Amino acid sequence: MGLLLNLFIQAATLELNLLKVFLWIGDYPLLYAAGSLFFFFLLLACSAILPNLYLGPVLISLVCAVLGIADYKKLTTTGEPLFPWDLLLLKNAGEMSKITKGMVSPLELSAAVLLVAVLLWVLIKLPKTKLRLPLRVLLAGISAVMLGGFITMVGGQTTLASSLKYQNIFWNQKVNYTQNGFLFAFAGNLRQNLLEQPDGYSRKAIEDIAAKYSALPDSAAAGTAVEKPNIIFMMDEAFFDPTRLGGLTFSEDPLKFIHQEESATPSGYLLSPEFGGNTANVEFEALTGMSMYFLNDGSIPYQQRIVKMATLPSIVSILKDRGYRALALHPFDETFYNRNRVYPVLGFDSFTSEKDWEQAARITPDGYISDKAAVQEAVRELKASAAPVFLHLVTMQNHFPFTKGLNGPNTIAVNGVQAEYKDELETYFQDTKLTDEALVFLQQELKTIERPTIAVFWGDHLPALSAGIYSEAGWDTEPRLKHETKLMILANFDIGNSPLGTLSPAFLGPAVFRLSGQAMPAYYKLLEQVRAEIPGLSKSVLIGTSGPLTGLTEEQQKLLDDYRLVEYDMLEGENYSESLLF
């Protein structure tokens, strides 16, 4: 039974390709054998602990089936395997069922229900065999020792683990899972740091970095604000410009406003560190100025680290020290990605979530709260405040699934796409049209706000559309295109119209400070130096001032070394930076 469970869960990791599974077993027989032994002792432990001898194996088999399916679905949707910290989302099971609706077909769901029914029937029919208490205690004890020893062996990268050909490839998690197998990779991630300590880390190193960048002058401000401006961050769920997909014709431009205004105001593209999901990582970059580029592959800082911290410097804390109110708005479950616990760490004064927003408009009863309704609430908060406000809005309207009619009837016909994708793509075009209309409303409302106000709008990542849509467009070999979302900055005062090019989210804070005439802390001066050399910093592609980079100069590498030291200091080190760079 352990052999079969291990075989199944590895098949899920290798996208249900049985040939690859058997080739993997041939290359790593000891890893397969050790993993199968783990499942054997897990089954044995449950058989010994539970009153029914057969109930434990049935439950473990069902759990493994769910894990395998979740791993397979996540891989085929986002390109990433299932991580231990993903299981923290189980507390949001209700919301997860909504946002993943459509990922499991009715046939797959029916098969799962049938399987559970068959297992229950078999369980009822099997003889009621019970073990004597002393034997149950003995078997449970042996199993606990073996299971604990396995996790210790893998987590500690012991000599025994290495002799099995296990290598914790934390910097490339897809390879980690395909080479080591799901079980070893998953167990190895249980004790994973966000990033390893860089060479030369010390208080003196951070003091030297602080002195170097503090001495730099502020970047020339482009804005003409004469008082502290309101600042809006509007991170739009799964938003990108679908007209960039090649080979398509469409009856109407879904982004009329954006395409009309992008030459009149600072605009460009955001180089998202994610594709198809992990919104919190894009938000992490934008609010903290830290880059996912330095973090171990698959990391989610909100869930792994920040939720355990008391404070963390961010654009929120910087502005609060300057007399701002800091408000967060997100029309969804407040506990998703632990936002209700992370936002206070970053310094937000209040957090308005879906539960506080019961009357907000949805385009259909089953849809998410619309982008326009979210903008209306943001504007209301700004107008109600006598003090300057930093307002961070994370929308939900464009979240998967892209079900026809979820946001009203589709009004744009799209051609040049296979028939099986037509409704999906036309639905996404409709969603982006609604977002474009929400931005028209935002621009109009900015003119009615007395205080100077600047709004930074961007999409968090490309949507999890069917893979065939991107393949048809020729994007499978174009990592830059699969990570560029739309970026635009609006204001009710003069901020010029200089193009932004392609920027990583980590550089949005300094960009808005520069445009609105805000003084830069030393940390932002460091980010500005990095941005000047590598405005697009991600694991998928590095973008310099003239396009993609194939290598780094000595100066660029030194900048990244400084950046990495500061990021390590704030996330895993002693956080000397909080008093030295802010």
Side-chain angles (χ1 to χ4, degrees), residues 275 467 469-483 540-541 548:
F275 173 82
I469 292 174
Y470 295 113
S471 296
E472 281 190 10
W475 284 22
D476 287 347
T477 56
E478 297 288 345
R480 178 174 181 174
L481 291 175
K482 292 186 80 169
H483 288 268
S540 58
V541 61

PDB file of all heavy atoms in Angstrom, residues 275 467 469-483 540-541 548:
ATOM      1  N   PHE A 275       3.118  34.165 -11.637  1.00  0.00           N
ATOM      2  CA  PHE A 275       2.262  33.909 -12.792  1.00  0.00           C
ATOM      3  C   PHE A 275       1.060  33.090 -12.330  1.00  0.00           C
ATOM      4  O   PHE A 275       1.228  32.019 -11.731  1.00  0.00           O
ATOM      5  CB  PHE A 275       3.013  33.155 -13.887  1.00  0.00           C
ATOM      6  CG  PHE A 275       2.122  32.731 -15.034  1.00  0.00           C
ATOM      7  CD1 PHE A 275       1.806  33.628 -16.034  1.00  0.00           C
ATOM      8  CD2 PHE A 275       1.585  31.457 -15.081  1.00  0.00           C
ATOM      9  CE1 PHE A 275       0.960  33.259 -17.074  1.00  0.00           C
ATOM     10  CE2 PHE A 275       0.740  31.075 -16.114  1.00  0.00           C
ATOM     11  CZ  PHE A 275       0.427  31.974 -17.118  1.00  0.00           C
ATOM     12  N   ALA A 467      -3.807  27.012 -20.545  1.00  0.00           N
ATOM     13  CA  ALA A 467      -2.433  27.069 -21.052  1.00  0.00           C
ATOM     14  C   ALA A 467      -2.393  27.197 -22.570  1.00  0.00           C
ATOM     15  O   ALA A 467      -1.492  27.830 -23.134  1.00  0.00           O
ATOM     16  CB  ALA A 467      -1.673  25.819 -20.608  1.00  0.00           C
ATOM     17  N   ILE A 469      -4.127  28.985 -24.522  1.00  0.00           N
ATOM     18  CA  ILE A 469      -4.241  30.378 -24.976  1.00  0.00           C
ATOM     19  C   ILE A 469      -2.861  31.006 -25.082  1.00  0.00           C
ATOM     20  O   ILE A 469      -2.532  31.674 -26.071  1.00  0.00           O
ATOM     21  CB  ILE A 469      -5.152  31.179 -24.019  1.00  0.00           C
ATOM     22  CG1 ILE A 469      -6.592  30.672 -24.126  1.00  0.00           C
ATOM     23  CG2 ILE A 469      -5.070  32.679 -24.315  1.00  0.00           C
ATOM     24  CD1 ILE A 469      -7.547  31.296 -23.135  1.00  0.00           C
ATOM     25  N   TYR A 470      -2.045  30.798 -24.061  1.00  0.00           N
ATOM     26  CA  TYR A 470      -0.690  31.349 -24.092  1.00  0.00           C
ATOM     27  C   TYR A 470       0.183  30.625 -25.118  1.00  0.00           C
ATOM     28  O   TYR A 470       1.028  31.241 -25.775  1.00  0.00           O
ATOM     29  CB  TYR A 470      -0.061  31.278 -22.701  1.00  0.00           C
ATOM     30  CG  TYR A 470      -0.754  32.147 -21.680  1.00  0.00           C
ATOM     31  CD1 TYR A 470      -1.438  31.581 -20.606  1.00  0.00           C
ATOM     32  CD2 TYR A 470      -0.742  33.530 -21.792  1.00  0.00           C
ATOM     33  CE1 TYR A 470      -2.084  32.376 -19.661  1.00  0.00           C
ATOM     34  CE2 TYR A 470      -1.384  34.333 -20.857  1.00  0.00           C
ATOM     35  CZ  TYR A 470      -2.061  33.745 -19.793  1.00  0.00           C
ATOM     36  OH  TYR A 470      -2.700  34.540 -18.878  1.00  0.00           O
ATOM     37  N   SER A 471      -0.036  29.327 -25.268  1.00  0.00           N
ATOM     38  CA  SER A 471       0.745  28.555 -26.246  1.00  0.00           C
ATOM     39  C   SER A 471       0.448  29.044 -27.658  1.00  0.00           C
ATOM     40  O   SER A 471       1.365  29.219 -28.477  1.00  0.00           O
ATOM     41  CB  SER A 471       0.418  27.062 -26.135  1.00  0.00           C
ATOM     42  OG  SER A 471       0.803  26.560 -24.877  1.00  0.00           O
ATOM     43  N   GLU A 472      -0.835  29.256 -27.962  1.00  0.00           N
ATOM     44  CA  GLU A 472      -1.213  29.746 -29.283  1.00  0.00           C
ATOM     45  C   GLU A 472      -0.590  31.104 -29.578  1.00  0.00           C
ATOM     46  O   GLU A 472      -0.262  31.418 -30.718  1.00  0.00           O
ATOM     47  CB  GLU A 472      -2.740  29.854 -29.396  1.00  0.00           C
ATOM     48  CG  GLU A 472      -3.439  28.540 -29.662  1.00  0.00           C
ATOM     49  CD  GLU A 472      -4.898  28.739 -30.012  1.00  0.00           C
ATOM     50  OE1 GLU A 472      -5.316  29.899 -30.236  1.00  0.00           O
ATOM     51  OE2 GLU A 472      -5.616  27.742 -30.078  1.00  0.00           O
ATOM     52  N   ALA A 473      -0.459  31.924 -28.533  1.00  0.00           N
ATOM     53  CA  ALA A 473       0.111  33.265 -28.708  1.00  0.00           C
ATOM     54  C   ALA A 473       1.637  33.220 -28.821  1.00  0.00           C
ATOM     55  O   ALA A 473       2.264  34.255 -29.082  1.00  0.00           O
ATOM     56  CB  ALA A 473      -0.296  34.158 -27.554  1.00  0.00           C
ATOM     57  N   GLY A 474       2.238  32.033 -28.605  1.00  0.00           N
ATOM     58  CA  GLY A 474       3.687  31.910 -28.695  1.00  0.00           C
ATOM     59  C   GLY A 474       4.418  32.397 -27.468  1.00  0.00           C
ATOM     60  O   GLY A 474       5.595  32.738 -27.530  1.00  0.00           O
ATOM     61  N   TRP A 475       3.723  32.397 -26.309  1.00  0.00           N
ATOM     62  CA  TRP A 475       4.310  32.967 -25.092  1.00  0.00           C
ATOM     63  C   TRP A 475       5.016  31.937 -24.216  1.00  0.00           C
ATOM     64  O   TRP A 475       5.587  32.303 -23.197  1.00  0.00           O
ATOM     65  CB  TRP A 475       3.228  33.665 -24.265  1.00  0.00           C
ATOM     66  CG  TRP A 475       2.822  35.003 -24.831  1.00  0.00           C
ATOM     67  CD1 TRP A 475       2.974  35.430 -26.116  1.00  0.00           C
ATOM     68  CD2 TRP A 475       2.187  36.074 -24.133  1.00  0.00           C
ATOM     69  NE1 TRP A 475       2.469  36.694 -26.269  1.00  0.00           N
ATOM     70  CE2 TRP A 475       1.989  37.114 -25.053  1.00  0.00           C
ATOM     71  CE3 TRP A 475       1.771  36.247 -22.826  1.00  0.00           C
ATOM     72  CZ2 TRP A 475       1.386  38.324 -24.707  1.00  0.00           C
ATOM     73  CZ3 TRP A 475       1.167  37.449 -22.472  1.00  0.00           C
ATOM     74  CH2 TRP A 475       0.984  38.482 -23.400  1.00  0.00           C
ATOM     75  N   ASP A 476       4.959  30.666 -24.572  1.00  0.00           N
ATOM     76  CA  ASP A 476       5.567  29.648 -23.713  1.00  0.00           C
ATOM     77  C   ASP A 476       7.071  29.836 -23.556  1.00  0.00           C
ATOM     78  O   ASP A 476       7.659  29.430 -22.549  1.00  0.00           O
ATOM     79  CB  ASP A 476       5.283  28.246 -24.258  1.00  0.00           C
ATOM     80  CG  ASP A 476       3.833  27.831 -24.031  1.00  0.00           C
ATOM     81  OD1 ASP A 476       3.146  28.526 -23.252  1.00  0.00           O
ATOM     82  OD2 ASP A 476       3.393  26.842 -24.639  1.00  0.00           O
ATOM     83  N   THR A 477       7.693  30.446 -24.544  1.00  0.00           N
ATOM     84  CA  THR A 477       9.138  30.691 -24.485  1.00  0.00           C
ATOM     85  C   THR A 477       9.444  32.168 -24.265  1.00  0.00           C
ATOM     86  O   THR A 477      10.568  32.607 -24.511  1.00  0.00           O
ATOM     87  CB  THR A 477       9.810  30.209 -25.788  1.00  0.00           C
ATOM     88  OG1 THR A 477       9.191  30.870 -26.909  1.00  0.00           O
ATOM     89  CG2 THR A 477       9.660  28.703 -25.951  1.00  0.00           C
ATOM     90  N   GLU A 478       8.456  32.922 -23.821  1.00  0.00           N
ATOM     91  CA  GLU A 478       8.631  34.363 -23.596  1.00  0.00           C
ATOM     92  C   GLU A 478       8.319  34.701 -22.139  1.00  0.00           C
ATOM     93  O   GLU A 478       7.230  35.204 -21.817  1.00  0.00           O
ATOM     94  CB  GLU A 478       7.711  35.164 -24.532  1.00  0.00           C
ATOM     95  CG  GLU A 478       7.997  34.996 -26.007  1.00  0.00           C
ATOM     96  CD  GLU A 478       9.276  35.696 -26.423  1.00  0.00           C
ATOM     97  OE1 GLU A 478       9.773  36.535 -25.643  1.00  0.00           O
ATOM     98  OE2 GLU A 478       9.774  35.414 -27.525  1.00  0.00           O
ATOM     99  N   PRO A 479       9.254  34.424 -21.215  1.00  0.00           N
ATOM    100  CA  PRO A 479       8.971  34.670 -19.790  1.00  0.00           C
ATOM    101  C   PRO A 479       8.631  36.120 -19.479  1.00  0.00           C
ATOM    102  O   PRO A 479       7.835  36.390 -18.578  1.00  0.00           O
ATOM    103  CB  PRO A 479      10.257  34.229 -19.096  1.00  0.00           C
ATOM    104  CG  PRO A 479      11.307  34.261 -20.157  1.00  0.00           C
ATOM    105  CD  PRO A 479      10.607  33.905 -21.426  1.00  0.00           C
ATOM    106  N   ARG A 480       9.206  37.043 -20.225  1.00  0.00           N
ATOM    107  CA  ARG A 480       8.906  38.449 -19.945  1.00  0.00           C
ATOM    108  C   ARG A 480       7.432  38.745 -20.189  1.00  0.00           C
ATOM    109  O   ARG A 480       6.759  39.380 -19.356  1.00  0.00           O
ATOM    110  CB  ARG A 480       9.786  39.354 -20.824  1.00  0.00           C
ATOM    111  CG  ARG A 480       9.494  40.842 -20.624  1.00  0.00           C
ATOM    112  CD  ARG A 480      10.477  41.709 -21.380  1.00  0.00           C
ATOM    113  NE  ARG A 480      10.197  43.123 -21.166  1.00  0.00           N
ATOM    114  CZ  ARG A 480      10.978  44.106 -21.611  1.00  0.00           C
ATOM    115  NH1 ARG A 480      12.092  43.808 -22.263  1.00  0.00           N
ATOM    116  NH2 ARG A 480      10.659  45.363 -21.388  1.00  0.00           N
ATOM    117  N   LEU A 481       6.894  38.257 -21.323  1.00  0.00           N
ATOM    118  CA  LEU A 481       5.495  38.517 -21.639  1.00  0.00           C
ATOM    119  C   LEU A 481       4.561  37.872 -20.622  1.00  0.00           C
ATOM    120  O   LEU A 481       3.503  38.421 -20.299  1.00  0.00           O
ATOM    121  CB  LEU A 481       5.178  38.006 -23.042  1.00  0.00           C
ATOM    122  CG  LEU A 481       5.831  38.767 -24.206  1.00  0.00           C
ATOM    123  CD1 LEU A 481       5.538  38.081 -25.528  1.00  0.00           C
ATOM    124  CD2 LEU A 481       5.353  40.217 -24.241  1.00  0.00           C
ATOM    125  N   LYS A 482       4.954  36.716 -20.080  1.00  0.00           N
ATOM    126  CA  LYS A 482       4.095  36.018 -19.120  1.00  0.00           C
ATOM    127  C   LYS A 482       4.189  36.598 -17.715  1.00  0.00           C
ATOM    128  O   LYS A 482       3.542  36.095 -16.790  1.00  0.00           O
ATOM    129  CB  LYS A 482       4.431  34.519 -19.106  1.00  0.00           C
ATOM    130  CG  LYS A 482       4.047  33.818 -20.396  1.00  0.00           C
ATOM    131  CD  LYS A 482       4.244  32.321 -20.327  1.00  0.00           C
ATOM    132  CE  LYS A 482       3.104  31.651 -19.610  1.00  0.00           C
ATOM    133  NZ  LYS A 482       3.133  30.177 -19.751  1.00  0.00           N
ATOM    134  N   HIS A 483       5.002  37.659 -17.571  1.00  0.00           N
ATOM    135  CA  HIS A 483       5.142  38.288 -16.253  1.00  0.00           C
ATOM    136  C   HIS A 483       4.907  39.798 -16.289  1.00  0.00           C
ATOM    137  O   HIS A 483       4.976  40.446 -15.244  1.00  0.00           O
ATOM    138  CB  HIS A 483       6.519  37.987 -15.662  1.00  0.00           C
ATOM    139  CG  HIS A 483       6.668  36.567 -15.210  1.00  0.00           C
ATOM    140  ND1 HIS A 483       6.390  36.164 -13.927  1.00  0.00           N
ATOM    141  CD2 HIS A 483       7.028  35.450 -15.881  1.00  0.00           C
ATOM    142  CE1 HIS A 483       6.586  34.860 -13.823  1.00  0.00           C
ATOM    143  NE2 HIS A 483       6.964  34.405 -14.995  1.00  0.00           N
ATOM    144  N   SER A 540      12.448  35.136 -13.304  1.00  0.00           N
ATOM    145  CA  SER A 540      12.076  34.741 -14.664  1.00  0.00           C
ATOM    146  C   SER A 540      12.892  35.476 -15.714  1.00  0.00           C
ATOM    147  O   SER A 540      13.242  34.908 -16.752  1.00  0.00           O
ATOM    148  CB  SER A 540      10.587  34.991 -14.885  1.00  0.00           C
ATOM    149  OG  SER A 540      10.263  36.356 -14.666  1.00  0.00           O
ATOM    150  N   VAL A 541      13.210  36.741 -15.456  1.00  0.00           N
ATOM    151  CA  VAL A 541      13.963  37.539 -16.415  1.00  0.00           C
ATOM    152  C   VAL A 541      14.523  38.760 -15.699  1.00  0.00           C
ATOM    153  O   VAL A 541      13.893  39.304 -14.789  1.00  0.00           O
ATOM    154  CB  VAL A 541      13.075  37.962 -17.617  1.00  0.00           C
ATOM    155  CG1 VAL A 541      11.910  38.811 -17.156  1.00  0.00           C
ATOM    156  CG2 VAL A 541      13.873  38.676 -18.687  1.00  0.00           C
ATOM    157  N   PRO A 548      16.380  43.059 -21.844  1.00  0.00           N
ATOM    158  CA  PRO A 548      16.775  41.912 -21.014  1.00  0.00           C
ATOM    159  C   PRO A 548      18.286  41.819 -20.829  1.00  0.00           C
ATOM    160  O   PRO A 548      19.068  42.113 -21.749  1.00  0.00           O
ATOM    161  CB  PRO A 548      16.242  40.706 -21.798  1.00  0.00           C
ATOM    162  CG  PRO A 548      15.105  41.255 -22.601  1.00  0.00           C
ATOM    163  CD  PRO A 548      15.512  42.655 -22.962  1.00  0.00           C
TER     164      PRO A 548
END
